[in-house]
Amino acid sequence: MKATVNEECIGCGLCEGTCPDVFSISVDGYSVSIDKDIPEDAMDAAQEAANNCPASAITIE
């Protein structure tokens, strides 16, 4: 499964704080996700980040 962050991202940093193995804040101040499958041991944290994103900008598929 992969995480995708769309253009609705507001750059709040919640996802990076919740799951730094998958999300980071780019130089332009918005979240980006790793470009590979989510590590199994980070799946719960990645899903938590998606569920709690205030902009609903994260999709996990």
Side-chain angles (χ1 to χ4, degrees):
M1 299 188 93
K2 291 186 180 193
T4 304
V5 181
N6 68 32
E7 67 277 351
E8 299 298 318
C9 176
I10 59 173
C12 71
L14 184 138
C15 57
E16 182 182 33
T18 303
C19 189
D21 291 336
V22 175
F23 303 99
S24 63
I25 301 298
S26 68
V27 294
D28 63 359
Y30 296 99
S31 179
V32 293
S33 60
I34 58 173
D35 191 29
K36 59 182 179 180
D37 288 338
I38 298 169
E40 189 172 323
D41 61 343
M43 186 60 73
D44 288 342
Q47 187 62 58
E48 181 182 346
N51 292 344
N52 293 320
C53 176
S56 298
I58 301 170
T59 303
I60 297 184
E61 300 177 311

